[in-house]
């Protein structure tokens, strides 16, 4: 009887150990199979003439290059995130570019000839390099609807090893999302990866914050 109890206890310990190993492997496997951020069109309005001011703050131009001293119109937003490999490791020194229309729905592009006035205080395009942890940061505005499109920000990433990703970031809860023809081409799971909440930052300026992590396959 005593031997039977010991055997049962050993069997339980063995099963528990196997369960722990399986759990660790599943966790490791989950990191290794991190879903890549889906690619989307670069669109027709990547700037055909890059602005002289190309830093990571799109809301204020340097005094020497500004046509106005006013900051950009729109809801100020801190956009942050990390650029990662599929196994979850950080990708430092990756070039991250963003471009979007201003608060009036105008892009920094000569072919965007809509009747809406262009905001002279909005940079329209910016770039940054990722830090050692893959992190990046931009100061921009909450995207607004563009004729026929949901609010979005274009994002392009070029990793130090040459891998590239071009995608678009969407605003969680925007009513135009369901009608956007490019967003509808993505599967529901893919849409989740490129749709992020814009939440109050808690500062006195009433600005927002958004986080967009990207995974390069």
């Amino acid at each position: 009887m005593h031997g039977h109890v010991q055997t049962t206890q050993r069997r339980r310990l063995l099963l528990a150990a196997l369960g722990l190993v399986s759990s660790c492997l599943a966790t490791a496997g989950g990191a290794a199979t991190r879903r890549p951020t889906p690619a989307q069109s670069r669109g027709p309005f990547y700037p055909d003439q890059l602005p002289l001011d190309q830093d990571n703050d799109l809301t204020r131009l340097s005094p020497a290059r500004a046509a106005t001293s006013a900051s950009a119109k729109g809801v100020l937003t801190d956009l942050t995130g990390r650029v990662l490999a599929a196994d979850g490791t950080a990708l430092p020194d990756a070039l991250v570019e963003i471009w979007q229309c201003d608060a009036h729905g105008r892009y920094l592009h000569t072919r965007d000839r809509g009747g809406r006035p262009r905001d002279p205080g909005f940079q329209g395009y910016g770039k940054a390099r990722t830090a050692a942890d893959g992190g990046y940061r931009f100061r921009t505005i909450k995207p607004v609807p563009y004729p026929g499109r949901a609010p979005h920000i274009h994002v392009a990433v070029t990793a130090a090893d040459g891998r590239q990703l071009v995608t678009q970031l969407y605003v969680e809860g925007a009513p135009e999302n369901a009608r956007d023809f490019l967003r509808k081409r993505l599967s529901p799971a893919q849409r989740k990866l490129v749709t992020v909440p814009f939440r109050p930052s808690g500062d006195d300026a009433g600005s927002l914050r958004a986080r967009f992590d990207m995974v390069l396959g």
Side-chain angles (χ1 to χ4, degrees), residues 22-34:
S22 297
S23 175
C24 292
L25 288 173
T27 301
T33 57
R34 193 180 293 261

Side-chain angles (χ1 to χ4, degrees), residues 65-123:
R65 295 165 179 167
T68 175
S69 60
S71 59
K73 295 179 174 63
V75 183
L76 299 180
T77 299
D78 277 315
L79 174 62
T80 60
R82 297 177 69 203
V83 178
L84 307 170
D87 62 0
T89 58
L91 293 178
D93 200 36
L95 175 64
V96 182
E97 302 172 88
I98 69 169
W99 64 101
Q100 65 186 102
C101 63
D102 62 26
H104 300 151
R106 289 288 301 276
Y107 277 96
L108 185 66
H109 197 287
T110 55
R111 283 192 295 150
D112 186 359
R113 302 180 184 275
R116 306 167 306 281
R118 180 172 284 120
D119 178 7
F122 185 60
Q123 191 168 295

